[in-house]
Amino acid sequence: MRLRTAVAAAVGALALIVTVPASASAATGDFTYVYSGAGGSLRAGYLLDPPSRMCITLPQVADPASSQPASTPLNLTDSTAVVFTGPDCEGDHFSLRPNGGNATSRLKLRSVVFG
């Protein structure tokens, strides 16, 4: 009887552990940035409801050898955004507060993680 109760408790705890992180897996809102498109024209990029605690390399500026970094980030998500100067969340970093944190075109970025 004790073994069955212990197994049931362990299964219940595992189910709780598996379901809780899924409920908090995304920052809600938009994150926008500016990058240079074909011919040097400025373009707007955005992430909608980005995943939390996962590094996101911005696809338009992922390769430092062939693209300029993005700039002018605006964090309209409900989570803090930490932007990085390099791809894969490497290099210098800067935090943008939730719900409107922003920076000028002087801040260069290639990746971001939401907390």
Side-chain angles (χ1 to χ4, degrees):
M1 180 73 165
R2 284 187 186 178
L3 179 60
R4 196 169 23 179
T5 303
V7 170
V11 169
L14 180 61
L16 183 61
I17 290 169
V18 170
T19 38
V20 169
S23 65
S25 64
T28 303
D30 290 337
F31 177 82
T32 64
Y33 53 93
V34 174
Y35 67 96
S36 292
S41 62
L42 294 180
R43 313 259 335 234
Y46 66 93
L47 302 173
L48 176 61
D49 297 334
S52 295
R53 296 176 297 281
M54 185 175 96
C55 181
I56 301 167
T57 298
L58 305 177
Q60 302 90 343
V61 297
D63 184 6
S66 65
S67 66
Q68 295 296 315
S71 67
T72 321
L74 173 59
N75 182 20
L76 297 174
T77 72
D78 60 357
S79 297
T80 298
V82 181
V83 298
F84 293 83
T85 56
D88 304 317
C89 294
E90 294 181 355
D92 293 336
H93 63 278
F94 185 81
S95 295
L96 299 171
R97 65 179 167 73
N99 303 311
N102 61 63
T104 67
S105 61
R106 294 189 315 163
L107 180 66
K108 305 302 182 190
L109 64 144
R110 291 189 187 273
S111 56
V112 60
V113 66
F114 295 88

XYZ file of all heavy atoms in Angstrom:
819
model
N 0.814 -1.190 0.000
C 0.000 0.000 0.000
C 0.865 1.264 0.000
O 0.583 2.196 -0.720
C -0.936 -0.046 1.221
C -1.843 1.146 1.336
S -3.108 1.043 0.084
C -4.221 2.218 0.699
N 1.939 1.284 0.827
C 2.816 2.450 0.884
C 3.523 2.673 -0.454
O 3.698 3.806 -0.869
C 3.860 2.281 1.981
C 3.314 2.488 3.348
C 4.434 2.464 4.342
N 3.921 2.529 5.687
C 4.648 2.494 6.757
N 5.969 2.366 6.637
N 4.112 2.571 7.940
N 3.932 1.604 -1.082
C 4.609 1.727 -2.362
C 3.683 2.362 -3.402
O 4.085 3.250 -4.143
C 5.098 0.356 -2.851
C 5.813 0.360 -4.208
C 7.051 1.246 -4.149
C 6.176 -1.045 -4.620
N 2.428 1.928 -3.430
C 1.460 2.473 -4.381
C 1.237 3.961 -4.107
O 1.177 4.764 -5.039
C 0.154 1.694 -4.283
C -0.720 1.930 -5.472
C -1.892 1.010 -5.582
N -2.306 0.410 -4.320
C -3.323 -0.408 -4.193
N -4.015 -0.740 -5.260
N -3.660 -0.907 -3.038
N 1.145 4.355 -2.845
C 0.951 5.765 -2.483
C 2.175 6.585 -2.880
O 2.047 7.690 -3.414
C 0.690 5.892 -0.969
O -0.436 5.094 -0.639
C 0.418 7.326 -0.583
N 3.362 6.049 -2.631
C 4.591 6.756 -2.987
C 4.706 6.936 -4.502
O 5.092 8.005 -4.983
C 5.804 6.004 -2.446
N 4.364 5.906 -5.249
C 4.413 5.987 -6.714
C 3.399 7.010 -7.220
O 3.699 7.829 -8.090
C 4.186 4.599 -7.358
C 3.984 4.724 -8.859
C 5.346 3.675 -7.055
N 2.204 6.999 -6.662
C 1.168 7.961 -7.063
C 1.611 9.392 -6.762
O 1.413 10.305 -7.571
C -0.149 7.649 -6.370
N 2.231 9.603 -5.618
C 2.720 10.934 -5.256
C 3.830 11.379 -6.203
O 3.869 12.535 -6.639
C 3.212 10.941 -3.815
N 4.731 10.465 -6.552
C 5.821 10.792 -7.470
C 5.294 11.135 -8.859
O 5.738 12.093 -9.487
C 6.809 9.626 -7.549
N 4.333 10.383 -9.331
C 3.733 10.649 -10.647
C 3.021 12.005 -10.621
O 3.131 12.794 -11.558
C 2.779 9.503 -11.062
C 1.962 9.892 -12.279
C 3.565 8.237 -11.335
N 2.312 12.289 -9.555
C 1.628 13.583 -9.432
C 2.609 14.737 -9.414
O 2.402 15.762 -10.059
N 3.716 14.594 -8.688
C 4.739 15.640 -8.638
C 5.376 15.842 -10.004
O 5.604 16.968 -10.435
C 5.795 15.285 -7.598
N 5.653 14.761 -10.713
C 6.232 14.859 -12.051
C 5.279 15.568 -13.008
O 5.689 16.417 -13.795
C 6.585 13.466 -12.585
C 7.209 13.420 -13.975
C 8.525 14.187 -13.989
C 7.425 11.991 -14.416
N 4.011 15.248 -12.926
C 3.016 15.907 -13.782
C 2.974 17.407 -13.498
O 2.876 18.219 -14.414
C 1.637 15.280 -13.572
N 3.080 17.788 -12.243
C 3.074 19.202 -11.875
C 4.317 19.896 -12.410
O 4.240 20.986 -12.960
C 2.984 19.341 -10.354
C 2.890 20.762 -9.811
C 1.635 21.443 -10.346
C 2.881 20.750 -8.306
N 5.463 19.271 -12.287
C 6.709 19.856 -12.778
C 6.658 20.047 -14.292
O 7.104 21.047 -14.824
C 7.916 18.978 -12.382
C 8.146 19.073 -10.875
C 9.169 19.372 -13.142
C 9.137 18.060 -10.344
N 6.094 19.096 -14.996
C 6.038 19.166 -16.451
C 5.061 20.240 -16.916
O 5.306 20.937 -17.881
C 5.666 17.782 -17.045
C 5.370 17.875 -18.520
C 6.788 16.796 -16.790
N 3.950 20.447 -16.217
C 2.955 21.402 -16.682
C 3.221 22.832 -16.268
O 2.904 23.747 -17.010
C 1.538 21.037 -16.203
O 1.596 20.540 -14.895
C 0.841 20.108 -17.113
N 3.837 23.089 -15.148
C 4.039 24.460 -14.689
C 4.918 25.267 -15.633
O 4.540 26.352 -16.029
C 4.583 24.484 -13.239
C 5.046 25.869 -12.856
C 3.500 24.018 -12.281
N 6.092 24.789 -16.081
C 6.896 25.599 -16.979
C 6.188 25.934 -18.287
O 6.410 26.985 -18.853
C 8.134 24.754 -17.244
C 8.237 23.860 -16.069
C 6.803 23.592 -15.670
N 5.342 25.080 -18.777
C 4.649 25.353 -20.035
C 3.717 26.543 -19.913
O 3.479 27.256 -20.874
C 3.868 24.123 -20.478
N 3.178 26.799 -18.731
C 2.245 27.903 -18.576
C 2.954 29.248 -18.579
O 2.341 30.270 -18.799
C 1.441 27.731 -17.283
O 2.312 27.813 -16.169
N 4.244 29.290 -18.313
C 4.997 30.541 -18.275
C 6.091 30.530 -19.332
O 7.193 30.974 -19.101
C 5.591 30.727 -16.893
N 5.797 30.043 -20.506
C 6.834 29.830 -21.503
C 7.003 30.961 -22.501
O 7.843 30.864 -23.374
C 6.564 28.534 -22.262
O 5.361 28.639 -22.972
N 6.234 32.022 -22.387
C 6.372 33.094 -23.365
C 6.174 34.452 -22.720
O 5.402 34.602 -21.779
C 5.363 32.921 -24.497
N 6.926 35.415 -23.233
C 6.689 36.802 -22.873
C 5.517 37.259 -23.738
O 5.472 36.966 -24.927
C 7.929 37.630 -23.155
N 4.585 37.954 -23.165
C 3.418 38.401 -23.918
C 3.655 39.811 -24.446
O 4.027 40.706 -23.697
C 2.165 38.383 -23.020
O 1.988 37.064 -22.512
C 0.929 38.798 -23.797
N 3.467 39.988 -25.739
C 3.629 41.299 -26.359
C 4.634 41.266 -27.495
O 5.090 40.208 -27.926
N 4.977 42.457 -27.975
C 5.876 42.616 -29.116
C 7.243 43.125 -28.679
O 7.357 43.916 -27.741
C 5.328 43.636 -30.115
C 4.105 43.163 -30.852
O 3.899 41.947 -30.941
O 3.363 44.024 -31.359
N 8.254 42.704 -29.403
C 9.604 43.252 -29.287
C 9.976 43.675 -30.699
O 9.924 42.865 -31.628
C 10.572 42.191 -28.768
C 11.994 42.678 -28.684
C 12.417 43.413 -27.595
C 12.898 42.397 -29.700
C 13.729 43.867 -27.509
C 14.211 42.844 -29.628
C 14.624 43.576 -28.534
N 10.326 44.942 -30.899
C 10.650 45.430 -32.233
C 12.085 45.944 -32.293
O 12.668 46.307 -31.265
C 9.687 46.549 -32.693
O 9.848 47.680 -31.828
C 8.245 46.077 -32.660
N 12.617 45.991 -33.494
C 13.975 46.469 -33.733
C 14.074 46.922 -35.185
O 13.190 46.635 -36.000
C 15.014 45.386 -33.418
C 14.763 44.072 -34.123
C 15.352 43.784 -35.341
C 13.904 43.117 -33.568
C 15.113 42.576 -35.997
C 13.660 41.916 -34.207
C 14.265 41.650 -35.419
O 14.016 40.463 -36.055
N 15.153 47.621 -35.510
C 15.384 48.116 -36.861
C 16.654 47.455 -37.389
O 17.634 47.317 -36.663
C 15.531 49.657 -36.858
C 15.908 50.178 -38.233
C 14.251 50.309 -36.361
N 16.625 47.043 -38.662
C 17.798 46.445 -39.288
C 17.901 46.934 -40.730
O 16.935 47.467 -41.288
C 17.747 44.910 -39.238
C 16.651 44.292 -40.069
C 16.905 43.835 -41.367
C 15.351 44.172 -39.583
C 15.898 43.278 -42.138
C 14.345 43.617 -40.350
C 14.624 43.172 -41.623
O 13.625 42.624 -42.390
N 19.083 46.770 -41.326
C 19.295 47.178 -42.715
C 18.899 46.046 -43.645
O 19.416 44.936 -43.536
C 20.766 47.527 -42.957
O 21.103 48.685 -42.252
N 17.996 46.356 -44.570
C 17.555 45.376 -45.547
C 18.387 45.466 -46.812
O 19.461 46.065 -46.835
N 17.866 44.882 -47.864
C 18.545 44.905 -49.165
C 18.776 46.344 -49.601
O 17.895 47.188 -49.482
C 17.718 44.156 -50.194
N 19.960 46.625 -50.078
C 20.279 47.973 -50.541
C 20.459 48.979 -49.422
O 20.513 50.177 -49.663
N 20.515 48.523 -48.180
C 20.730 49.422 -47.054
C 19.480 50.100 -46.529
O 19.569 50.955 -45.647
N 18.317 49.756 -47.069
C 17.089 50.385 -46.580
C 16.769 49.881 -45.166
O 16.988 48.717 -44.844
C 15.920 50.059 -47.517
O 15.699 48.666 -47.540
N 16.289 50.766 -44.321
C 15.934 50.394 -42.959
C 14.616 49.642 -42.947
O 13.652 50.048 -43.602
C 15.860 51.631 -42.063
C 17.175 52.353 -41.841
C 16.976 53.560 -40.927
C 18.224 51.423 -41.269
N 14.593 48.558 -42.210
C 13.398 47.713 -42.115
C 13.082 47.479 -40.646
O 13.970 47.508 -39.802
C 13.647 46.359 -42.782
C 14.288 46.425 -44.152
C 13.410 46.270 -45.344
N 12.201 45.554 -45.174
C 11.832 44.519 -45.903
N 12.639 44.027 -46.804
N 10.655 43.971 -45.730
N 11.833 47.194 -40.357
C 11.420 46.881 -38.987
C 11.310 45.374 -38.823
O 10.759 44.683 -39.675
C 10.082 47.533 -38.682
N 11.861 44.880 -37.737
C 11.727 43.476 -37.387
C 10.965 43.385 -36.082
O 10.936 44.340 -35.307
N 10.339 42.257 -35.843
C 9.607 42.109 -34.591
C 9.521 40.648 -34.175
O 9.632 39.740 -34.992
C 8.210 42.713 -34.696
C 7.304 41.994 -35.659
C 6.468 40.984 -35.223
C 7.298 42.308 -37.012
C 5.645 40.293 -36.111
C 6.487 41.633 -37.899
C 5.660 40.629 -37.433
O 4.857 39.940 -38.316
N 9.355 40.470 -32.889
C 9.091 39.159 -32.295
C 7.766 39.289 -31.561
O 7.597 40.196 -30.749
C 10.195 38.778 -31.302
C 11.615 38.723 -31.845
C 12.604 38.515 -30.704
C 11.745 37.602 -32.863
N 6.832 38.423 -31.834
C 5.518 38.447 -31.199
C 5.438 37.312 -30.182
O 5.652 36.156 -30.536
C 4.414 38.302 -32.249
C 2.982 38.216 -31.718
C 2.609 39.486 -30.955
C 2.005 38.005 -32.860
N 5.148 37.654 -28.934
C 5.061 36.668 -27.843
C 6.260 35.724 -27.860
O 6.120 34.504 -27.963
C 3.758 35.868 -27.925
C 2.523 36.726 -27.759
O 2.614 37.797 -27.122
O 1.460 36.343 -28.263
N 7.478 36.272 -27.732
C 8.679 35.440 -27.813
C 8.798 34.487 -26.623
O 8.296 34.778 -25.534
C 9.818 36.462 -27.797
C 9.244 37.643 -27.100
C 7.785 37.675 -27.472
N 9.463 33.358 -26.806
C 9.645 32.413 -25.699
C 10.519 33.019 -24.607
O 11.396 33.837 -24.886
C 10.327 31.212 -26.349
C 10.918 31.737 -27.598
C 10.083 32.898 -28.039
N 10.278 32.635 -23.373
C 11.065 33.115 -22.239
C 12.263 32.204 -21.988
O 12.217 31.011 -22.297
C 10.199 33.152 -20.978
O 9.165 34.089 -21.116
N 13.310 32.803 -21.426
C 14.506 32.066 -20.998
C 15.145 31.247 -22.117
O 15.716 30.196 -21.874
C 14.198 31.198 -19.774
C 13.815 32.024 -18.549
C 13.407 31.181 -17.371
N 12.220 30.370 -17.583
C 10.970 30.801 -17.537
N 10.717 32.069 -17.297
N 9.961 29.977 -17.728
N 15.030 31.740 -23.331
C 15.629 31.069 -24.483
C 16.276 32.135 -25.363
O 15.625 33.117 -25.723
C 14.555 30.322 -25.282
C 15.106 29.504 -26.415
S 13.811 28.536 -27.226
C 13.414 29.625 -28.584
N 17.533 31.955 -25.695
C 18.220 32.930 -26.537
C 17.630 32.922 -27.945
O 17.449 31.865 -28.546
C 19.714 32.614 -26.595
S 20.616 33.799 -27.609
N 17.352 34.120 -28.446
C 16.839 34.268 -29.809
C 17.836 35.123 -30.588
O 18.036 36.293 -30.265
C 15.455 34.949 -29.821
C 14.455 34.145 -29.001
C 14.973 35.169 -31.256
C 13.166 34.879 -28.710
N 18.472 34.535 -31.587
C 19.326 35.297 -32.486
C 18.424 35.868 -33.568
O 17.665 35.136 -34.209
C 20.428 34.410 -33.094
O 21.248 33.920 -32.022
C 21.283 35.182 -34.072
N 18.477 37.180 -33.749
C 17.612 37.838 -34.737
C 18.025 37.371 -36.136
O 19.190 37.542 -36.535
C 17.731 39.349 -34.604
C 17.441 39.897 -33.200
C 17.654 41.403 -33.150
C 16.046 39.522 -32.736
N 17.104 36.773 -36.877
C 17.489 36.116 -38.144
C 18.074 37.062 -39.188
O 18.963 36.670 -39.938
C 16.186 35.480 -38.634
C 15.091 36.171 -37.912
C 15.674 36.648 -36.607
N 17.623 38.290 -39.222
C 18.093 39.224 -40.256
C 19.529 39.689 -40.017
O 20.165 40.208 -40.932
C 17.179 40.453 -40.321
C 15.739 40.136 -40.598
C 14.913 39.911 -39.325
O 15.437 39.693 -38.238
N 13.600 39.955 -39.474
N 20.026 39.536 -38.795
C 21.360 40.047 -38.463
C 22.225 38.971 -37.799
O 23.167 39.265 -37.078
C 21.258 41.295 -37.556
C 20.550 42.431 -38.294
C 20.553 40.983 -36.251
N 21.921 37.722 -38.057
C 22.588 36.608 -37.378
C 24.068 36.479 -37.743
O 24.870 36.068 -36.914
C 21.863 35.304 -37.693
N 24.433 36.819 -38.952
C 25.800 36.612 -39.425
C 26.579 37.926 -39.434
O 26.357 38.780 -40.291
C 25.777 36.011 -40.831
C 27.158 35.677 -41.342
O 28.145 35.806 -40.585
O 27.256 35.271 -42.517
N 27.500 38.116 -38.491
C 28.273 39.360 -38.446
C 29.095 39.613 -39.711
O 29.406 40.763 -40.025
C 29.198 39.176 -37.238
C 28.528 38.153 -36.385
C 27.809 37.242 -37.352
N 29.445 38.562 -40.454
C 30.240 38.734 -41.668
C 29.435 39.319 -42.819
O 30.006 39.916 -43.735
C 30.843 37.397 -42.087
N 28.112 39.161 -42.787
C 27.319 39.611 -43.937
C 26.205 40.597 -43.593
O 25.436 40.964 -44.474
C 26.709 38.396 -44.639
O 25.789 37.755 -43.779
N 26.111 41.034 -42.344
C 25.045 41.977 -41.998
C 25.482 42.920 -40.891
O 26.336 42.591 -40.075
C 23.782 41.221 -41.549
O 24.043 40.527 -40.333
N 24.896 44.088 -40.906
C 25.084 45.048 -39.820
C 24.165 44.639 -38.662
O 23.116 44.046 -38.897
C 24.715 46.461 -40.292
C 25.621 46.997 -41.377
C 27.047 47.166 -40.876
O 27.277 47.676 -39.793
N 28.005 46.697 -41.667
N 24.520 44.961 -37.427
C 23.630 44.611 -36.316
C 22.343 45.426 -36.359
O 22.273 46.473 -37.008
C 24.452 44.957 -35.072
C 25.534 45.862 -35.525
C 25.748 45.593 -36.987
N 21.339 44.941 -35.677
C 20.075 45.674 -35.536
C 20.270 46.787 -34.506
O 21.290 46.849 -33.813
C 18.973 44.717 -35.090
N 19.289 47.668 -34.403
C 19.353 48.771 -33.442
C 17.941 49.168 -33.032
O 16.966 48.564 -33.456
C 20.082 49.968 -34.060
O 19.316 50.506 -35.127
N 17.849 50.178 -32.216
C 16.596 50.806 -31.809
C 15.572 49.801 -31.259
O 14.428 49.761 -31.705
C 15.987 51.608 -32.980
O 17.029 52.262 -33.700
C 15.021 52.659 -32.473
N 15.953 48.970 -30.299
C 14.997 47.998 -29.761
C 13.910 48.668 -28.924
O 14.149 49.679 -28.259
C 15.868 47.089 -28.892
C 16.992 47.969 -28.454
C 17.252 48.893 -29.620
N 12.723 48.099 -28.983
C 11.578 48.553 -28.184
C 10.924 47.313 -27.592
O 10.449 46.445 -28.330
C 10.584 49.322 -29.050
C 9.258 49.718 -28.398
C 9.473 50.601 -27.170
C 8.363 50.419 -29.406
N 10.910 47.228 -26.276
C 10.364 46.058 -25.591
C 8.952 46.341 -25.094
O 8.760 46.989 -24.063
C 11.270 45.669 -24.412
C 10.777 44.434 -23.699
O 10.002 43.646 -24.241
N 11.220 44.253 -22.474
N 7.968 45.855 -25.805
C 6.566 46.000 -25.406
C 6.015 44.703 -24.823
O 4.801 44.525 -24.768
C 5.728 46.454 -26.608
C 6.109 47.831 -27.160
C 5.333 48.122 -28.442
C 5.869 48.914 -26.135
N 6.911 43.811 -24.403
C 6.471 42.571 -23.766
C 6.303 42.807 -22.267
O 6.682 43.858 -21.743
C 7.474 41.421 -23.979
O 8.643 41.657 -23.178
C 7.848 41.265 -25.441
N 5.773 41.814 -21.590
C 5.605 41.911 -20.137
C 6.806 41.355 -19.381
O 6.740 41.141 -18.178
C 4.326 41.214 -19.699
C 4.291 39.739 -20.054
O 5.237 39.246 -20.703
O 3.304 39.068 -19.697
N 7.933 41.115 -20.074
C 9.148 40.581 -19.460
C 10.337 41.485 -19.765
O 10.355 42.184 -20.775
C 9.467 39.193 -20.023
O 8.460 38.279 -19.705
N 11.337 41.443 -18.903
C 12.585 42.145 -19.182
C 13.263 41.493 -20.383
O 13.301 40.269 -20.485
C 13.518 42.090 -17.958
O 12.872 42.744 -16.865
C 14.854 42.746 -18.228
N 13.776 42.307 -21.282
C 14.526 41.810 -22.440
C 15.992 42.173 -22.242
O 16.312 43.330 -21.957
C 13.999 42.437 -23.723
N 16.863 41.201 -22.373
C 18.301 41.455 -22.321
C 18.821 41.264 -23.736
O 18.727 40.174 -24.299
C 19.013 40.510 -21.333
C 20.508 40.820 -21.302
C 18.408 40.629 -19.934
N 19.334 42.353 -24.319
C 19.838 42.306 -25.693
C 21.356 42.159 -25.672
O 22.025 42.652 -24.760
C 19.408 43.550 -26.501
C 17.907 43.630 -26.606
C 19.965 44.825 -25.902
N 21.896 41.476 -26.680
C 23.321 41.187 -26.761
C 23.882 41.686 -28.080
O 23.203 41.638 -29.110
C 23.559 39.674 -26.660
C 23.212 39.105 -25.315
C 21.906 38.777 -25.009
C 24.196 38.909 -24.358
C 21.570 38.259 -23.768
C 23.866 38.390 -23.117
C 22.558 38.065 -22.814
N 25.145 42.102 -28.056
C 25.784 42.612 -29.267
C 26.135 41.508 -30.253
O 26.287 41.769 -31.440
C 27.074 43.388 -28.923
O 27.946 42.537 -28.168
C 26.760 44.641 -28.123
N 26.251 40.275 -29.797
C 26.603 39.168 -30.671
C 25.473 38.179 -30.824
O 24.508 38.187 -30.049
N 25.577 37.297 -31.813
C 24.591 36.214 -31.936
C 24.752 35.241 -30.765
O 25.769 35.265 -30.063
C 24.937 35.557 -33.273
C 26.325 35.983 -33.583
C 26.594 37.248 -32.849
N 23.749 34.424 -30.543
C 23.780 33.391 -29.500
C 23.954 33.964 -28.097
O 24.558 33.337 -27.227
C 24.862 32.346 -29.786
C 24.689 31.705 -31.148
O 23.535 31.376 -31.491
O 25.685 31.565 -31.882
N 23.444 35.181 -27.884
C 23.481 35.854 -26.567
C 24.897 35.958 -26.031
O 25.155 35.681 -24.853
C 22.528 35.164 -25.594
S 20.810 35.351 -26.112
N 25.804 36.358 -26.903
C 27.187 36.583 -26.522
C 27.538 38.049 -26.711
O 26.874 38.772 -27.435
C 28.116 35.701 -27.359
C 27.928 34.219 -27.085
C 28.861 33.345 -27.898
O 29.601 33.882 -28.758
O 28.853 32.137 -27.671
N 28.593 38.473 -26.048
C 29.051 39.847 -26.159
C 28.454 40.729 -25.076
O 27.899 40.250 -24.088
N 28.593 42.031 -25.270
C 28.047 42.986 -24.312
C 26.530 42.876 -24.287
O 25.904 42.503 -25.296
C 28.455 44.415 -24.691
C 29.957 44.646 -24.556
O 30.602 43.920 -23.765
O 30.472 45.533 -25.248
N 25.942 43.224 -23.152
C 24.484 43.125 -23.036
C 23.912 44.349 -22.340
O 24.617 45.088 -21.657
C 24.090 41.843 -22.300
C 24.576 41.799 -20.883
N 25.857 41.432 -20.553
C 23.955 42.087 -19.723
C 26.004 41.485 -19.256
N 24.860 41.894 -18.717
N 22.622 44.539 -22.543
C 21.895 45.671 -21.981
C 20.465 45.223 -21.707
O 19.864 44.533 -22.538
C 21.902 46.840 -22.982
C 21.272 48.093 -22.452
C 21.981 48.950 -21.630
C 19.966 48.412 -22.786
C 21.393 50.109 -21.143
C 19.370 49.563 -22.304
C 20.095 50.417 -21.478
N 19.918 45.601 -20.568
C 18.549 45.204 -20.203
C 17.549 46.291 -20.570
O 17.812 47.481 -20.369
C 18.449 44.947 -18.696
O 19.232 43.842 -18.334
N 16.409 45.856 -21.090
C 15.292 46.758 -21.398
C 14.114 46.348 -20.530
O 13.687 45.198 -20.546
C 14.905 46.654 -22.871
C 15.986 47.032 -23.884
C 15.523 46.678 -25.287
C 16.312 48.504 -23.789
N 13.586 47.295 -19.775
C 12.471 46.985 -18.874
C 11.241 46.558 -19.671
O 11.109 46.866 -20.855
C 12.164 48.175 -17.978
C 11.671 49.391 -18.719
C 11.354 50.540 -17.783
N 11.176 51.774 -18.492
C 10.129 52.084 -19.229
N 9.140 51.226 -19.356
N 10.036 53.231 -19.860
N 10.332 45.849 -19.023
C 9.097 45.445 -19.701
C 8.190 46.645 -19.991
O 8.367 47.722 -19.416
C 8.428 44.485 -18.715
C 9.180 44.579 -17.443
C 10.440 45.341 -17.683
N 7.244 46.450 -20.877
C 6.190 47.427 -21.163
C 6.700 48.799 -21.586
O 6.257 49.821 -21.088
C 5.253 47.554 -19.962
C 4.639 46.240 -19.583
O 4.120 45.525 -20.432
N 4.731 45.882 -18.306
N 7.651 48.818 -22.513
C 8.070 50.095 -23.091
C 9.536 50.431 -22.996
O 9.947 51.512 -23.430
N 10.367 49.545 -22.458
C 11.806 49.814 -22.418
C 12.350 49.932 -23.829
O 11.991 49.160 -24.718
N 13.186 50.941 -24.052
C 13.701 51.150 -25.406
C 15.108 51.705 -25.369
O 15.613 52.076 -24.319
C 12.769 52.071 -26.194
C 12.653 53.436 -25.541
O 13.635 54.150 -25.444
N 11.471 53.795 -25.082
N 15.722 51.773 -26.522
C 17.049 52.347 -26.681
C 17.118 53.015 -28.050
O 16.292 52.751 -28.926
C 18.120 51.274 -26.543
N 18.120 53.848 -28.203
C 18.282 54.580 -29.458
C 18.974 53.717 -30.505
O 19.348 52.575 -30.250
C 19.132 55.850 -29.232
O 20.465 55.454 -28.908
C 18.549 56.712 -28.120
N 19.238 54.320 -31.642
C 19.927 53.620 -32.727
C 21.391 53.361 -32.390
O 22.051 52.593 -33.079
C 19.816 54.415 -34.022
O 20.429 55.684 -33.866
N 21.905 53.957 -31.322
C 23.296 53.705 -30.922
C 23.482 52.327 -30.298
O 24.582 51.806 -30.280
C 23.779 54.785 -29.962
C 23.860 56.147 -30.644
C 24.519 57.189 -29.806
N 24.043 57.178 -28.422
C 24.679 57.755 -27.424
N 25.806 58.389 -27.636
N 24.179 57.717 -26.213
N 22.402 51.733 -29.766
C 22.501 50.392 -29.181
C 22.394 49.358 -30.292
O 21.383 49.286 -30.995
C 21.403 50.167 -28.147
C 21.432 48.788 -27.482
C 22.686 48.633 -26.626
C 20.201 48.572 -26.639
N 23.425 48.563 -30.457
C 23.471 47.541 -31.506
C 23.202 46.177 -30.885
O 23.668 45.874 -29.789
C 24.833 47.533 -32.197
C 25.233 48.897 -32.757
C 24.234 49.438 -33.747
C 24.704 50.776 -34.312
N 23.674 51.447 -35.080
N 22.460 45.332 -31.586
C 22.118 44.018 -31.061
C 22.003 42.988 -32.174
O 21.707 43.315 -33.317
C 20.807 44.060 -30.262
C 19.536 44.415 -31.034
C 18.365 43.633 -30.487
C 19.254 45.900 -30.916
N 22.237 41.729 -31.786
C 22.068 40.591 -32.693
C 21.249 39.480 -32.056
O 20.794 38.581 -32.753
C 23.425 40.036 -33.128
C 24.194 40.985 -34.049
C 25.416 40.314 -34.625
N 26.229 41.256 -35.372
C 26.048 41.555 -36.658
N 25.114 40.971 -37.340
N 26.842 42.430 -37.237
N 21.052 39.521 -30.742
C 20.277 38.490 -30.071
C 19.641 39.055 -28.808
O 20.016 40.134 -28.334
C 21.154 37.269 -29.747
O 22.272 37.640 -28.979
N 18.664 38.293 -28.284
C 17.901 38.754 -27.120
C 17.399 37.549 -26.349
O 17.148 36.487 -26.930
C 16.715 39.657 -27.569
C 15.765 38.927 -28.492
C 15.972 40.250 -26.385
N 17.225 37.727 -25.045
C 16.601 36.719 -24.198
C 15.607 37.438 -23.287
O 15.876 38.553 -22.837
C 17.645 35.898 -23.398
C 18.394 36.740 -22.386
C 16.999 34.711 -22.736
N 14.460 36.830 -23.072
C 13.418 37.411 -22.237
C 13.367 36.667 -20.918
O 13.367 35.451 -20.895
C 12.054 37.334 -22.950
C 12.040 38.174 -24.194
C 12.459 37.637 -25.401
C 11.652 39.491 -24.164
C 12.482 38.401 -26.553
C 11.664 40.270 -25.298
C 12.077 39.718 -26.497
N 13.310 37.428 -19.816
C 13.362 36.822 -18.482
C 12.061 36.594 -17.829
O 11.011 36.893 -18.036
